[in-house]
Each structure stands twice: as structure tokens, then as C-alpha cells.
Amino acid sequence: MHLHRYEKIWLMLGAGGLALFIVLLCVNAFAMGMAPPSNMEMIDPEKVTETPPFDKPGLKQVGDNEYDAYMTAFAFGFAPTKMEIPVGATVNFHVTSPDVIHGFQIPETNINFMVLPGHISSATHTFDKPGEYLILCNEYCGAGHQVMATTIIVK
Amino acid sequence: MVIARKIDDTLPHVPVQRSAATLSLAYVWVAYIAFGLAAVAGMVQGMVRGGIMELPSWTNYYQILTAHGVLMALIFTTYFIVGFIFSGVARTTGGSLHGAALKFGWAGWILMTLGTLMAVVTILMNEASVLYTFYAPLKASPYFYIGSALLVVGSWLAGFGVFASYRKWKRENKGKTSPLFLYMGVTTYILWITATIPVAVEVLFQLIPWSLGLVPTINVMLSRTLFWFFGHPLVYFWLLPAYMAWYVCLPRIIGGHIFSDSLSRLAFICLLLFSIPVGFHHQLMEPGISPAWKMIHVTLTLIVVIPSLMTAFSMFAIFETTGRKKGGVGLFGWFKKLPWTDVRFFAPFVGMLFFIPGGAGGIINASNQINAVVHNTIWVTGHFHITVGAAVALTFFGVTFWLIPALTGRQLTKTANRMGMVQTVFWAVGMFLMSLAMHTMGLQGAPRRTDYTTYMDHPLALGWMDYQRVMAFGGGLLFVSAILLILILLYLTFYAPKGNTEYPIAETETTQEVPKILERWPVWIGLVAFLIILAYGYPILQQIQHQAPGSPPFVTW
Amino acid sequence: METQVDKAEKGKKSRSSKLQTDQEDLKGTFVAVLIVGGIILVGWLGVFGLFLDRA
């Protein structure tokens, strides 16, 4: 098998570029703590409404300007329906589903994960700018999927 | 060489004999019937999401979305690929398929068509609006899953037909290197059969018993893992036949040669090895899979880019060497010498151009945490519309323009060629506008797979409306193109004048040594198995041993 | 189908096949793939930038 000289250079550049991507991703994910949301906790999907803390979905202050948001994503909505936090607050979202698979996305942030029945998904974001952030379901979940949304108000 | 070409052209071309041609046409035409129906569904979807029309009460967006996805991504592609590979195998092994291959071919067609009808009927009855990913615990009618299983098993039979042809050829040509097309066909089916085993397991052992009510709950995580174990090689199953047309047919069409026989085979082997153990890159944003395992799959995914980089080089090299022989000078002079008015070249070439941003977008999608920017946004929809919907589809169209007349013994007339050019331009412009709007909106967070909505008039969502209209306009152009395509294909099948159309199969310019190792299948299948166990063995074991409480079925549409 | 002329042609070519591949002028190809590589790099860095910006 004979490779043309230019092809050799091209493949080395290509492989080098891909290796660079992998290194950047690894450093960012593992050294800077930006790995994708991969929470391993589980829950019985048929008992979500009776399992604390998801029996009472809501915000809980856990630090100076830090909150835990325990939420449920269900066909077709999110609980709680109203959330308000101060500017600069860090929110740890913990979300699960009592029925089918849903998505949880806050556009223009990196909050974007799947909500699987039986699992608890977690991700953290710090809201530095005030506004009414849209939270929407981005995984098809049934006839009312397009209305499944809520907001989080940052003041 | 010039003399050789002239003599070659006056000789009757190796025909594909009637029995093989009929089989191939039977597959290709089911593909285009599915394509036509899917195009109607796609156009309607675009109009609805663009806010241009509303659906009557007897149907809904997600039913139409399911029909579009299943018919385009699963039925059109699979049927076309099976038909194309059968025809090319016949063409490169002496012009016919032997008894066993034909029997497998027809048995496969019958099973696949039965399965397709079951799936389509359940979708039409609104009992299977689960999209083509059918994620549990959304529960479709058991007949939808049984239909899908028949489709898969039928395609395996077709694969066995190709394996039988390969074995027969090897028996009759001891010690010789197999024809490149045949080799690539075999590789494609090894990929396909390996990749469909997990989804067959999911359907047979999880979805069917659960949807029949025989078991109360399902392991959702495991079903998703098995689905994506299949889901990513599925896209390579679409891509490999397009690469076959690029590597083997296109050089002949432009009057050139295969760039390198061995490198083409090597690229296919790399694609076979690394396109399967990568499914977690579709599950990067979900719980229950550790970051380390995600990163392992991401790394393997990026390795599979390398054979595509090789392909990019090979394609440009074929164009450059051919263009230079035709008198092209300077850095890009050869570019002008390519047959720009020949739709057999033009359509796949435009497809290749789409594959550049398509490939670049794919690398972004698979990049671990970066996936958060685009996951489940309409960017992803834009991505697979320029990859499978443009690069692969345009290549398939370009192939069909010569394949159908070659099989029916008719001519690809000047008029048909010109109409094909117009059709290609409509498809390209439509796809460009639609996918550009989708990519842009996706970066702003607009979700995929979602009916028209303003999210209670949220300002961000209202900002997406203009893009959605552009998307709908692009969809309209695509629909016009689809109608035109069906008309051209009807003409080529039934009305075009009788005559010879070439089945273009290129050869290497010089005899090239092909390393024997490339045809030692046990080695490659062993490596595939090793990589799969490496990438999936432990995670799947974990998902079975430490599974979340199961999910009962839901029908939410 | 292989004609006599084709066969003769092949025989002639195979003698020079070792040299042939590197002699081919593939400057245009090289520049073209570098452009492809550039598109991949710019696109990737762009979205990575967006990701860091949104964190």
C-alpha cells in the first residue's frame, strides 16, 4: 500500500487535529470539571410523587447564593411552575420523570440534558444575567410536547 | 489508454441480466415509493413548523414526523442500498446473480415489505407515533415493533445473498483479489448485520414482550444503549454505499480511474471497525453513564473520522488526476475539466460538498461536553439533513439516474439528464436554506422534533419564527425537487427510449497489489468483536446488574 | 470487460506503477483538503467557544 506524500501529510495533520480536540475536551471535562451531566442516582419512576425531595418540587437554598432545584418533568409540564432567584445565583438542577423520557434545556446556557424515568439528572449553572429564562423539553414526549415549558426568573 | 477507451465504448457493456435486474429494481422502486410518501410528510411538517399551515384534527405533527422519519431514514435508505448493492454485485461478478443469491434476495424483499407494511399501517392508524427512534417507555402497537423486526431480518437475508455471491466468486477465482465493489458490498453488510443485532435484541426481548403486556416494565437505559449501539452504525450503513458510488462508479463517469484500490479497501475496513463501538456519543447528555465511558466512546468516534479524511483526499485526487489528463493546468485548472453538465457526476458532487459542513458538524456533535450546545436542538436535524439528506441522498439520486435505465435497458436521454440537473439544483438550494436555518436556530436553542410553538410568546422563541419560515421555504423547494425526481424515474423506468446505458465501474489505472490481509475476514470480524466488547461489555453489564426500577408503558399521543 | 488493448495497456503501466503515485501532481488536492481541514477546525473552535462562553 503506497500513500502519496501529500496524503501522508494530510492524514497526519488530520489525526493531529483530532488528537488536539480530544486533549482539549479531556482537560476541560476532567481538570476543569465540565464533564457532561452523568449523575448515577436512581429512583422508582412509579413512586416519584411520594419520594422526597421530589414529592415537593421546588427551590431550596443550600449556600450563600446557591440553590438546589428539585424538579419533575412530566407529560406535559415541569414542576415547580414558578421559580425566582437573585442574579449571580448558582442553581443545581435535579430532575426526574414519572412517565416517559423528557428533555431539559435552558437555551443560551449549557443546561441541556435528558430526563429518563428511573434516573435523576443533575447539572449546575450560575445565572449571571437577569432575565426570564426559558426552560423547555427538547425530547419528544407526546401530543403536547410543544407546550412543555416553564421559566426561571433571575432578578 | 485513449485507444483502449474507444474500443471499450463500442463493445456491448456487461449487462446486468434480467433476473438480477428485476430484483434490484423491485428494491429500488419500493425505496422511491417510500421516498415519495416521506417527501409529502416532510413538506407538510415544514409548513406546520413554519407556521404557514395548520393540520386537520384527524392527524397531528408527530404522526407525520414519525411517517417522515421511518419512511425516509429506514425504508428509503435500506431498500435503495440493498437494491444498489445487488445490482453492483451482479455487474462486477459477471452480470448475474446465482440461484442462492436471488432466492435470498427475494425472500429478503418479501420479509422487508411485509414489515414495512405493518409499520406503515400502525403509523397511519396513529398507533405508533413514537418517531423512528421509538424510545421506550413510549409504547407503540406491537405490530410496529414486529414490522421493524421483519424489516431487519429481511435485510439480513439480502446480506446473506451478497455473502453467497462473494463466496461463489472466491471459489471460482482462487487466489485473486475480489472486485472492489463486491468487497465494499460485503463490508457494508458485515457492518449492517453486526449493528442490527443489538436493535433486534432490543425489539425482540424488550419491546415486543413489554408492548404485548407479557412483562410489566422495561429497562429504559438498556433499551437506549441497545438502540444507539445500532443507531450510529446505521448512519454509516447509509454512508458506505454512497462511498461505494464515489470510489468505484464516479471515477468511471468522469473518465478517470480508481485512485488506490488498497486504500479504498482500508478506508472501508476502518469504517467497519470504528463506526460501531461509539453509540454513547448519542447519549452524552444522559444520566446513568459515567463520564469516563462517554469519553472512551467519544475518542473512538473521532478515530472514525480518519477514513473519511482519507476519502476526502481520494476524491479530490481522482478529480485532479482526471482533470489534469484532460488538460487542466495550474493549481485548480483541473476543476473546470470535470463533466459539469453530466448529472451522474453533478448530483454526487454536490452531495460531497454538503458532506464537508456535514462532517464538520458531526465532529462537533460527538465532542463530549460540547454536545450540550446542540443536543436535541434543531441543529441536529439540520446536521442529518445535510449528511444523509444531501450527501447520501444526492449520491443515491445520481446513481439512480443511470441505474434504472441500465437495469431496464433504456437510455438516460439528454432531456432526462437536464431535468436531473434541475432537480439536483432544487434539492441543493432547498436543503441549503433549510439546513442553514436549522443550524442557526439550533445554536440559539430551538428544539428538534417539536410542533409549532411560541412557548407562551417567550421573546427568544419569537425570534425563531423567521428562521422557521426560511426552513419551510427550503422544505417547499425540496418537495418540488422530490416530485420532479419521481417523474424522471417513472420516465426512465417506463418511457425512455430503449438502448444501452452504462453501469459505470471504474478500474485502477495500473495493476495494484492488494495486501491479502484485507480479505481475511475472520481477522476483521474478530477485531470488530473485540472493540465492541471493549466499548460495551462493561457498561451493558452494569446496566443489567444495577438497573433502575423499570418503566411501565405509556401512550401519550 | 477487458479487451486485448486494455491488457496490453495494463502490462505496460504496471512496470512504472511504483513510481507513478508520487509523481502525480496533487497540489490542488492538497490545498483542497487543507481548506476542508480549516472548515472543520474553525467550526469546532467556534462551537467550543460558544460552550465556554455559556458556562
Side-chain angles (χ1 to χ4, degrees):
Chain A
M1 243 177 291
H2 185 82
L3 276 180
H4 192 282
R5 193 165 54 92
Y6 288 151
E7 183 161 14
K8 263 183 216 156
I9 300 171
W10 161 239
L11 290 180
M12 280 193 297
L13 284 174
L18 293 168
L20 174 77
F21 290 172
I22 292 170
V23 169
L24 286 175
L25 289 174
C26 282
V27 169
N28 181 252
F30 300 111
M32 295 163 68
M34 307 241 312
S38 312
N39 190 17
M40 305 301 268
E41 285 169 280
M42 292 174 185
I43 183 172
D44 189 336
E46 296 182 80
K47 297 199 179 96
V48 169
T49 48
E50 52 205 79
T51 311
F54 295 101
D55 56 341
K56 292 192 192 83
L59 278 173
K60 215 164 65 181
Q61 187 151 12
V62 289
D64 204 9
N65 201 2
E66 188 174 347
Y67 299 83
D68 274 346
Y70 290 98
M71 299 181 70
T72 56
F74 52 86
F76 304 99
F78 293 97
T81 49
K82 198 171 159 33
M83 284 182 289
E84 230 181 270
I85 48 160
V87 175
T90 298
V91 183
N92 309 307
F93 293 94
H94 307 280
V95 193
T96 191
S97 160
D99 44 53
V100 297
I101 295 175
H102 298 280
F104 188 99
Q105 184 193 350
I106 307 180
E108 298 184 327
T109 73
N110 286 335
I111 295 293
N112 185 354
F113 53 79
M114 305 292 288
V115 184
L116 306 189
H119 293 260
I120 300 166
S121 302
S122 298
T124 298
H125 185 73
T126 302
F127 293 86
D128 289 324
K129 272 179 249 150
E132 190 177 349
Y133 288 76
L134 181 62
I135 298 176
L136 57 86
C137 170
N138 65 10
E139 182 58 86
Y140 168 65
C141 55
H145 166 55
Q146 70 280 4
V147 301
M148 186 171 165
T150 185
T151 54
I152 179 164
I153 295 164
V154 181
K155 273 190 179 158
Chain B
M1 201 54 227
V2 176
I3 305 161
R5 158 109 329 107
K6 269 189 188 146
I7 290 171
D8 200 35
D9 276 348
T10 56
L11 286 168
H13 296 287
V14 177
V16 175
Q17 273 174 13
R18 179 56 67 86
S19 57
T22 309
L23 175 67
S24 176
L25 278 171
Y27 276 104
V28 170
W29 261 110
V30 177
Y32 280 102
I33 292 167
F35 170 83
L37 295 171
V40 175
M43 187 267 298
V44 170
Q45 241 175 278
M47 296 296 160
V48 172
R49 177 116 189 212
I52 292 163
M53 66 177 267
E54 269 177 57
L55 287 170
S57 59
W58 47 266
T59 185
N60 72 67
Y61 181 83
Y62 304 105
Q63 185 182 16
I64 288 170
L65 178 58
T66 305
H68 178 71
V70 169
L71 288 170
M72 258 334 170
L74 302 179
I75 312 295
F76 165 64
T77 51
T78 309
Y79 272 87
F80 181 84
I81 290 163
V82 173
F84 173 48
I85 293 181
F86 267 132
S87 75
V89 167
R91 164 69 175 81
T92 55
T93 59
S96 61
L97 294 172
H98 67 302
L102 284 171
K103 270 184 208 131
F104 273 125
W106 280 111
W109 188 88
I110 291 166
L111 276 192
M112 282 172 66
T113 307
L114 199 65
T116 302
L117 288 174
M118 285 170 80
V120 169
V121 168
T122 55
I123 293 169
L124 289 178
M125 291 169 71
N126 202 23
E127 284 175 9
S129 295
V130 291
L131 312 191
Y132 73 100
T133 43
F134 46 85
Y135 291 147
L138 289 172
K139 187 197 79 82
S141 153
Y143 295 107
F144 175 80
Y145 302 119
I146 295 169
S148 325
L150 289 177
L151 182 71
V152 167
V153 174
S155 70
W156 288 351
L157 295 185
F160 298 154
V162 170
F163 294 154
S165 298
Y166 176 79
R167 244 186 246 129
K168 178 170 175 283
W169 193 93
K170 283 305 251 185
R171 240 192 345 264
E172 290 167 359
N173 299 271
K174 282 221 158 57
K176 283 195 203 158
T177 308
S178 59
L180 185 55
F181 191 101
L182 180 61
Y183 179 89
M184 290 174 157
V186 168
T187 317
T188 306
Y189 274 113
I190 295 176
L191 170 83
W192 177 242
I193 291 172
T194 314
T196 43
I197 291 170
V199 77
V201 169
E202 183 204 357
V203 168
L204 290 178
F205 296 102
Q206 286 196 288
L207 293 172
I208 292 177
W210 171 75
S211 69
L212 285 168
L214 301 176
V215 292
T217 61
I218 192 167
N219 181 341
V220 170
M221 190 73 236
L222 181 65
S223 76
R224 291 177 63 75
T225 302
L226 291 173
F227 182 84
W228 285 116
F229 186 158
F230 150 80
H232 196 71
L234 169 67
V235 313
Y236 280 89
F237 176 64
W238 300 333
L239 191 59
L240 290 193
Y243 277 10
M244 288 163 78
W246 295 0
Y247 273 110
V248 186
C249 304
L250 212 54
R252 171 76 192 179
I253 288 167
I254 65 171
H257 294 92
I258 290 171
F259 178 62
S260 165
D261 189 310
S262 322
L263 286 177
S264 315
R265 287 173 207 253
L266 182 67
F268 266 59
I269 289 292
C270 291
L271 290 162
L272 169 65
L273 292 178
F274 293 104
S275 66
I276 303 173
V278 296
F280 286 167
H281 77 233
H282 289 262
Q283 301 175 272
L284 292 169
M285 294 300 129
E286 58 197 71
I289 302 171
S290 75
W293 279 104
K294 287 176 180 174
M295 197 63 220
I296 290 171
H297 279 230
V298 166
T299 307
L300 289 164
T301 308
L302 294 183
I303 292 175
V304 82
V305 175
I306 291 172
S308 285
L309 298 181
M310 286 168 69
T311 304
F313 191 92
S314 298
M315 291 309 124
F316 283 118
I318 289 166
F319 297 153
E320 181 165 7
T321 45
T322 310
R324 286 199 187 280
K325 274 194 195 117
K326 289 183 180 169
V329 288
L331 195 57
F332 287 116
W334 46 274
F335 201 66
K336 289 183 220 129
K337 299 286 175 185
L338 297 170
W340 293 109
T341 54
D342 185 345
V343 73
R344 300 174 307 157
F345 163 74
F346 183 67
F349 180 83
V350 176
M352 288 176 181
L353 291 185
F354 272 105
F355 202 55
I356 297 170
I363 296 172
I364 293 166
N365 299 343
S367 288
N368 212 38
Q369 65 270 31
I370 299 181
N371 182 250
V373 179
V374 297
H375 176 73
N376 268 359
T377 69
I378 202 163
W379 155 293
V380 178
T381 317
H383 167 71
F384 63 71
H385 276 84
I386 57 174
T387 46
V388 68
V392 171
L394 282 168
T395 303
F396 288 178
F397 301 162
V399 166
T400 314
F401 290 133
W402 54 256
L403 181 63
I404 286 185
L407 296 178
T408 54
R410 294 176 189 274
Q411 285 171 23
L412 172 58
T413 55
K414 276 216 168 82
T415 316
N417 182 72
R418 210 170 301 141
M419 295 314 286
M421 298 287 293
V422 173
Q423 185 263 331
T424 305
V425 170
F426 265 84
W427 192 269
V429 175
M431 203 55 96
F432 177 78
L433 292 175
M434 190 177 83
S435 62
L436 191 67
M438 285 172 165
H439 278 90
T440 317
M441 259 196 294
L443 289 178
Q444 298 170 25
R448 69 188 282 200
R449 302 181 148 181
T450 303
D451 196 354
Y452 177 79
T453 177
T454 59
Y455 289 116
M456 301 149 287
D457 290 339
H458 192 281
L460 188 65
L462 290 175
W464 299 334
M465 295 303 140
D466 284 338
Y467 293 107
Q468 290 186 166
R469 276 188 282 273
V470 174
M471 200 174 90
F473 179 69
L477 294 181
L478 288 165
F479 184 64
V480 172
S481 177
I483 292 176
L484 194 52
L485 178 65
I486 299 283
L487 291 176
I488 299 168
L489 300 188
L490 281 172
Y491 170 77
L492 291 174
T493 309
F494 300 110
Y495 306 105
K498 295 267 176 193
N500 274 339
T501 295
E502 186 190 15
Y503 194 120
I505 294 288
E507 292 182 346
T508 50
E509 187 163 18
T510 55
T511 39
Q512 294 179 354
E513 278 295 308
V514 176
K516 285 266 183 288
I517 181 85
L518 287 170
E519 287 204 76
R520 299 243 160 82
W521 297 108
V523 173
W524 304 118
I525 294 170
L527 266 176
V528 168
F530 170 76
L531 284 168
I532 287 173
I533 291 167
L534 182 81
Y536 275 116
Y538 183 76
I540 287 186
L541 198 69
Q542 283 285 303
Q543 287 178 8
I544 293 169
Q545 283 180 339
H546 303 281
Q547 53 182 289
S551 281
F554 289 92
V555 179
T556 53
W557 62 88
Chain C
M1 239 206 284
E2 220 173 43
T3 62
Q4 289 301 322
V5 189
D6 263 340
K7 271 184 190 148
E9 197 72 27
K10 269 187 186 165
K12 222 190 299 164
K13 286 276 165 59
S14 66
R15 262 166 267 142
S16 59
S17 74
K18 281 262 149 55
L19 293 167
Q20 179 244 335
T21 33
D22 258 16
Q23 281 172 351
E24 259 160 353
D25 185 359
L26 294 178
K27 274 198 210 74
T29 299
F30 191 55
V31 174
V33 289
L34 288 182
I35 294 170
V36 172
I39 292 171
I40 294 173
L41 193 68
V42 169
W44 194 86
L45 289 175
V47 181
F48 191 41
L50 205 53
F51 175 78
L52 294 177
D53 188 51
R54 286 175 177 184

